[in-house]
Amino acid sequence: MKVTKEQLEEKNQVKLEIEVEAEQFEEAVQKAYLKMRKNVAVPGFRKGKAPRKMIEKMYGEGVFYEEAVDYLLNHTYGDAVDESGIEPVDRPEIEVKQIGAGENFIYTAVVTVKPEVELGEYKGVSAEKVEYKVADEDVDAEINNMKERAARFVDITDQPVADGNVAIIDFDGYVDGKAFEGGKGENYNLTIGSGQFIPGFEEQLVGKKLGEETDVNVTFPADYHAEELAGKEAVFKVKINGIKVKEYPELDDEFAKDVSEFDTFEELKKATRDRLEENAKTRTQREQADKVLDVVTDNATVDIPEVMVTNKVKEYEQDMRYRISSQMPGITFEQYLEYTGSTLEDFREGMKDRAWKDVKTSLVLEKVAKEEKIEATDADIEEEMEKLAKQYSMELDKVKEVFQGDSLETLKNDIMMRKTVDMLRESAKLTAAKKKPAAKKTTAKKAADSAENAEDKTEKAAAKKTTTKKAATTTKKTTAAKKTTTKKTTTKKAKEDAAKEEK
């Protein structure tokens, strides 16, 4: 095989001319014949038994050429890329130049390649210092969260309804003297101050006693989801069936034993501080690295092919589709976009700037790693696999079985990138951070809301359309949004596959 490379005038585009010997082309045609003959009917022969020459005579010499070309492209293009030393970032445009019996097969491949990066200053750059510290108040707040989760509600009979209590109520709503659909409920658990019901409802229950009946006068909001009730005055006849008060545990050794694996409260508090400080350290390093990378990337020059940005946007879209389907079963990505007031075009457009920056950062890191001769050593890979084995409670040999071929190469690349980022961060000269005004949320940001907010947004929007029957008085009820991980890389998928395999 002969390969000729030509740099085209269009930036980052190369044309390869690949010439395959006639003998290899003949082999490909024979393979095509053997594969296709079972589907070719020739009078006088059983299906699949007709000689090649007979089929070619009946249907033309080129009857097997298309299949033969596909075979040759699959078996020669990769070798031609390796021989020419290029790094394609997109599918090639193929054009057959010469084909025929007894002739060398010649085709060209026009392909967009990874661009060259011109590094600027990258070691010892100046960047704003990022530092997160853990204060006593942070530890107390975390302990109080545990206390809140450990609280329980107990019935009371000798005190009236107060803010923070749960009132167990029957209610029956009327507008213009007539009951309306969804305005009635029995033994409903309403947390006073939660904002579950329309404004003014909960406040009017404060001070009411067990067994007391009262009228609650409210006005539905003008933008209420049920148009027939929007802006209308309503009267709810309410009866207090029960009152529950939240009871908190004492912050002592027994509390520590109940909520953790520790025997004393002091041990729990110390472990809480240690965990918060580890989180703060991780966050500091991550955000510090981002600051340094911004400077290093800005200092570099690279002409990024549009296709690389487009492909990165497609990755974001696929990732969002996966997260939406896994976190919100029954909700499609298109429905999510509709609920959040966006469109697929908005999402893609909103992701372009982020994609461009991510692509450039990745290219710059690769170049720095090459310049500094940073790579993933066998020891690095062994250490990473040991961490994964521990994380997923797997045998090390099982992890090694999962990371083979492309998955192993991706793991090596991840390690190399991480080591490069660490080198840049550790060499940077850190300066005092400047105070900046809070940034306004841009249209692009709105279109590209992460899946951390997706669940909450979707549920709110869905609730707005469907809650009329169940609780006509509910307008503000929300659900805590689940936090999600960053995009699903090949390495991460391999890690999850490893965990599934072990199970």
Side-chain angles (χ1 to χ4, degrees):
M1 181 177 70
K2 179 182 177 183
V3 180
T4 304
K5 181 174 71 172
E6 177 187 353
Q7 183 69 50
L8 300 181
E9 290 185 6
E10 178 107 15
K11 285 186 177 180
N12 302 311
Q13 281 206 336
V14 169
K15 179 163 77 172
L16 301 180
E17 183 175 275
I18 299 105
E19 184 172 352
V20 181
E21 290 78 5
E23 293 79 6
Q24 190 174 351
F25 175 70
E26 169 58 26
E27 291 176 6
V29 175
Q30 180 64 15
K31 287 180 182 293
Y33 157 69
L34 295 174
K35 179 180 178 180
M36 298 173 62
R37 64 180 178 179
K38 60 184 177 182
N39 298 318
V40 180
V42 176
F45 294 91
R46 285 184 298 160
K47 205 166 188 179
K49 298 298 183 180
R52 174 181 157 186
K53 293 296 183 183
M54 186 65 69
I55 298 174
E56 290 175 337
K57 184 176 181 180
M58 175 172 283
Y59 294 99
E61 180 185 289
V63 64
F64 301 117
Y65 281 4
E66 183 176 350
E67 182 70 27
V69 168
D70 285 344
Y71 174 84
L72 285 173
L73 292 180
N74 288 332
H75 287 78
T76 62
Y77 175 70
D79 292 338
V81 166
D82 292 340
E83 184 176 328
S84 61
I86 64 173
E87 292 186 75
V89 296
D90 196 20
R91 293 178 177 274
E93 294 180 9
I94 302 295
E95 182 180 355
V96 175
K97 291 298 195 179
Q98 179 173 295
I99 188 170
E103 296 181 328
N104 287 352
F105 171 61
I106 303 174
Y107 70 96
T108 60
V110 175
V111 61
T112 302
V113 297
K114 188 176 290 186
E116 286 294 323
V117 177
E118 183 181 335
L119 291 175
E121 182 183 10
Y122 64 87
K123 289 182 76 171
V125 298
S126 295
E128 287 186 12
K129 183 178 182 179
V130 177
E131 187 174 20
Y132 290 98
K133 294 183 178 180
V134 177
D136 292 341
E137 292 80 2
D138 299 321
V139 179
D140 292 341
E142 190 68 13
I143 295 293
N144 282 332
N145 286 338
M146 298 180 196
K147 178 181 175 181
E148 189 71 34
R149 291 193 294 269
R152 62 191 183 94
F153 284 94
V154 295
D155 293 313
I156 57 172
T157 58
D158 58 346
Q159 298 177 31
V161 175
D163 192 45
N165 290 168
V166 171
I168 304 170
I169 62 172
D170 292 342
F171 60 89
D172 201 356
Y174 297 86
V175 171
D176 297 330
K178 297 180 180 179
F180 57 87
E181 184 180 2
K184 184 174 184 178
E186 295 181 352
N187 289 322
Y188 188 92
N189 285 258
L190 175 62
T191 300
I192 306 302
S194 65
Q196 287 178 267
F197 280 18
I198 58 178
F201 188 102
E202 296 165 23
E203 293 86 341
Q204 294 180 54
L205 298 185
V206 173
K208 305 304 178 185
K209 298 178 181 179
L210 181 66
E212 186 173 346
E213 297 183 9
T214 185
D215 286 352
V216 173
N217 296 282
V218 294
T219 301
F220 282 98
D223 60 350
Y224 193 66
H225 62 270
E227 293 181 4
E228 68 276 11
L229 299 176
K232 295 289 184 68
E233 293 183 354
V235 177
F236 285 87
K237 296 186 177 300
V238 181
K239 180 181 178 183
I240 310 297
N241 295 328
I243 305 172
K244 292 178 180 289
V245 64
K246 187 178 285 189
E247 187 177 83
Y248 293 96
E250 293 292 327
L251 297 180
D252 53 19
D253 293 347
E254 289 304 314
F255 170 76
K257 292 176 184 177
D258 288 341
V259 301
S260 72
E261 71 273 24
F262 301 104
D263 293 327
T264 68
F265 180 70
E266 287 305 314
E267 288 177 323
L268 171 62
K269 196 168 184 179
K270 181 181 182 304
T272 301
R273 176 176 283 279
D274 291 344
R275 175 169 53 82
L276 291 177
E277 287 181 344
E278 184 61 31
N279 291 342
K281 178 182 177 182
T282 300
R283 184 181 180 188
T284 296
Q285 291 179 341
R286 182 179 67 250
E287 294 188 18
Q288 187 65 74
D290 288 342
K291 291 283 188 184
V292 174
L293 282 176
D294 283 345
V295 177
V296 173
T297 302
D298 287 344
N299 288 346
T301 303
V302 56
D303 190 357
I304 301 172
E306 183 65 27
V307 68
M308 294 187 76
V309 177
T310 301
N311 289 342
K312 181 60 71 174
V313 170
K314 288 179 181 178
E315 286 182 23
Y316 298 153
E317 181 182 333
Q318 290 170 356
D319 180 59
M320 280 293 288
R321 287 183 183 277
Y322 171 80
R323 286 190 281 173
I324 294 297
S325 64
S326 62
Q327 292 174 24
M328 291 173 280
I331 300 295
T332 66
F333 181 51
E334 285 71 22
Q335 287 172 325
Y336 157 70
L337 291 173
E338 181 183 350
Y339 292 149
T340 54
S342 185
T343 65
L344 186 57
E345 290 71 23
D346 290 338
F347 176 84
R348 289 172 176 170
E349 188 64 30
M351 288 284 97
K352 282 186 177 179
D353 287 345
R354 173 186 164 190
W356 186 89
K357 182 178 179 180
D358 284 354
V359 169
K360 184 177 181 182
T361 299
S362 179
L363 291 170
V364 170
L365 280 174
E366 285 183 10
K367 182 68 172 181
V368 172
K370 185 176 181 180
E371 290 292 318
E372 296 293 321
K373 297 180 173 56
I374 298 173
E375 58 184 19
T377 65
D378 291 342
D380 293 331
I381 297 168
E382 186 76 12
E383 181 182 354
E384 186 70 14
M385 289 188 175
E386 287 174 356
K387 288 180 182 178
L388 292 173
K390 183 177 181 181
Q391 180 181 348
Y392 290 102
S393 301
M394 292 176 61
E395 295 178 4
L396 182 58
D397 288 343
K398 289 287 186 181
V399 174
K400 290 181 178 180
E401 287 178 11
V402 172
F403 284 95
Q404 301 287 336
D406 290 343
S407 293
L408 180 58
E409 289 305 311
T410 303
L411 181 64
K412 289 180 180 178
N413 187 70
D414 286 351
I415 294 171
M416 178 193 71
M417 290 292 202
R418 189 165 63 240
K419 290 174 69 175
T420 305
V421 170
D422 289 344
M423 182 275 290
L424 294 172
R425 175 176 52 79
E426 291 166 4
S427 70
K429 300 171 185 176
L430 305 182
T431 60
K434 298 177 182 178
K435 290 186 178 180
K436 296 181 180 179
K440 292 182 179 180
K441 198 171 189 180
T442 64
T443 303
K445 173 68 175 172
K446 290 177 182 177
D449 270 336
S450 69
E452 286 187 343
N453 299 316
E455 186 171 9
D456 191 45
K457 283 175 173 282
T458 305
E459 289 189 1
K460 285 180 184 177
K464 192 172 182 180
K465 295 185 177 182
T466 60
T467 53
T468 304
K469 290 186 179 180
K470 189 168 183 181
T473 56
T474 303
T475 59
K476 296 182 179 179
K477 191 172 185 180
T478 60
T479 316
K482 295 180 181 177
K483 293 191 175 182
T484 62
T485 54
T486 55
K487 67 175 184 172
K488 192 180 188 74
T489 63
T490 305
T491 304
K492 183 177 177 184
K493 187 176 188 303
K495 293 175 184 176
E496 292 182 353
D497 290 343
K500 291 178 181 177
E501 182 176 325
E502 180 67 9
K503 290 178 182 178

